[in-house]
Amino acid sequence: MSGTGPRESIFPTRMALTNTKTRFKSAQTGHSLLAKKRDALTARFRAILRKVDEAKRKMGRVMQLASFSLAEVTYATGDIAYLVQEQAKSASFKVRAKQENVSGVVLPAFEVDRVPGTDFNLTGLGRGGQQVLRSKEVYAKAVETLVELASLQTAFMILDEVIRATNRRVNAIEHVIIPRLDNTIKYIVSELDEMDREEFFRLKKVQGKKKRDAEAAEARRKAELAAQGLEPDAAAPTAPSTEVPAEEEDAVVDLLSSKDDDVIF
């Protein structure tokens, strides 16, 4: 029988067939939309992956330069950690967060807002001022690169989880829901066809039964007439005559052919 395989437990009716076809169409539409969403997220995921790789390489180079610049400052001026801690009054960098929508997925994005001015104007005044300034700029670049890498890494992790969930949904619809609905539709169609064939066979049987009953009744009537000694044709009721007598026909003709004298008022 068609429709074998996993299917839903449903009573085969025309309404159930219509509802199942509607659900089947909706499942196909949902599968198409989720597949497009998965492709868009995958494309963005690969772009972010390339940016993460570039940012990590850049971060390695920047941190290397920052370490060398700090070593130069330490060599030129000594330890300036206590000076930095004393002169730091407010943050030189502020991080702003915004959101980006990618196919219905909200991705956070971080931006660096550098506050103009500095609190380290007197650091390195005696010696090593050039090295301190260079180290400050390198570490500022390192902070910006670090914030960019954090933004990309966060978006990377979120997209990874969303793509996995979307793939599970696409596979479930493609390999479970759509085949189950298809098997259900085939089952309902086969059952309805079987019921139509049964109804046609039942009508044929009823028609044959009525025909046999009519023939049996006619045979009984002929047998009764034969027992009474009458012919079946003579016993048949005669139809009333519709012929008009000749006298009445002549009277009608005379009435139509006669003319009245003109009457003048």
Side-chain angles (χ1 to χ4, degrees):
M1 179 184 293
S2 61
T4 58
R7 61 174 178 82
E8 296 183 355
S9 299
I10 192 172
F11 189 75
T13 59
R14 301 288 180 185
M15 183 59 68
L17 179 61
T18 303
N19 293 336
T20 307
K21 285 184 177 180
T22 303
R23 293 175 56 195
F24 182 75
K25 185 65 176 178
S26 300
Q28 288 180 332
T29 304
H31 177 268
S32 177
L33 293 176
L34 284 177
K36 292 180 181 178
K37 178 181 178 180
R38 178 191 59 187
D39 295 339
L41 292 178
T42 304
R44 185 58 183 272
F45 180 79
R46 292 174 179 173
I48 290 178
L49 182 60
R50 289 193 296 268
K51 291 182 179 179
V52 167
D53 183 64
E54 294 175 359
K56 285 185 177 181
R57 295 178 184 275
K58 181 180 178 181
M59 189 68 192
R61 294 192 298 268
V62 171
M63 290 304 297
Q64 182 180 7
L65 292 176
S67 299
F68 280 122
S69 65
L70 182 60
E72 291 177 356
V73 170
T74 304
Y75 179 78
T77 62
D79 188 11
I80 61 171
Y82 67 95
L83 294 176
V84 173
Q85 293 175 359
E86 288 180 357
Q87 296 183 11
K89 303 299 182 181
S90 60
S92 301
F93 291 90
K94 293 182 180 180
V95 178
R96 294 181 301 174
K98 65 178 183 179
Q99 293 180 346
E100 185 179 1
N101 193 336
V102 180
S103 298
V105 180
V106 178
L107 300 178
F110 306 122
E111 293 181 351
V112 176
D113 187 10
R114 188 170 183 177
V115 179
T118 178
D119 295 330
F120 310 112
N121 294 326
L122 301 179
T123 304
L125 185 61
R127 57 179 179 172
Q130 210 171 19
Q131 288 81 5
V132 170
L133 183 62
R134 187 185 308 113
S135 177
K136 182 179 69 173
E137 293 297 328
V138 172
Y139 270 98
K141 187 67 176 177
V143 170
E144 293 177 357
T145 307
L146 184 63
V147 172
E148 180 185 1
L149 181 60
S151 177
L152 293 174
Q153 192 72 27
T154 304
F156 176 84
M157 296 176 63
I158 293 176
L159 281 179
D160 185 41
E161 293 295 330
V162 173
I163 289 174
R164 289 182 181 179
T166 306
N167 283 331
R168 287 194 296 269
R169 293 177 183 177
V170 170
N171 293 332
I173 293 176
E174 182 178 358
H175 300 290
V176 178
I177 296 178
I178 290 180
R180 181 182 298 173
L181 292 176
D182 190 23
N183 292 331
T184 304
I185 291 174
K186 292 179 180 178
Y187 164 74
I188 295 175
V189 170
S190 64
E191 290 296 322
L192 291 177
D193 292 341
E194 184 67 23
M195 286 191 289
D196 290 340
R197 287 192 293 269
E198 291 177 356
E199 182 68 16
F200 179 76
F201 179 76
R202 187 185 67 82
L203 292 177
K204 293 292 289 184
K205 295 292 287 184
V206 169
Q207 186 178 5
K209 181 67 168 55
K210 290 181 178 180
K211 185 177 180 180
R212 289 194 301 270
D213 291 343
E215 291 177 353
E218 182 66 20
R220 286 195 301 270
R221 188 180 67 84
K222 290 181 179 180
E224 291 175 358
L225 293 176
Q228 295 177 4
L230 299 176
E231 293 293 335
D233 296 337
T238 58
S241 178
T242 57
E243 294 181 358
V244 180
E247 294 81 0
E248 294 182 2
E249 186 177 357
D250 294 339
V252 174
V253 174
D254 293 340
L255 182 61
L256 293 175
S257 61
S258 62
K259 295 183 180 180
D260 295 335
D261 296 334
D262 295 334
V263 179
I264 300 176
F265 294 94

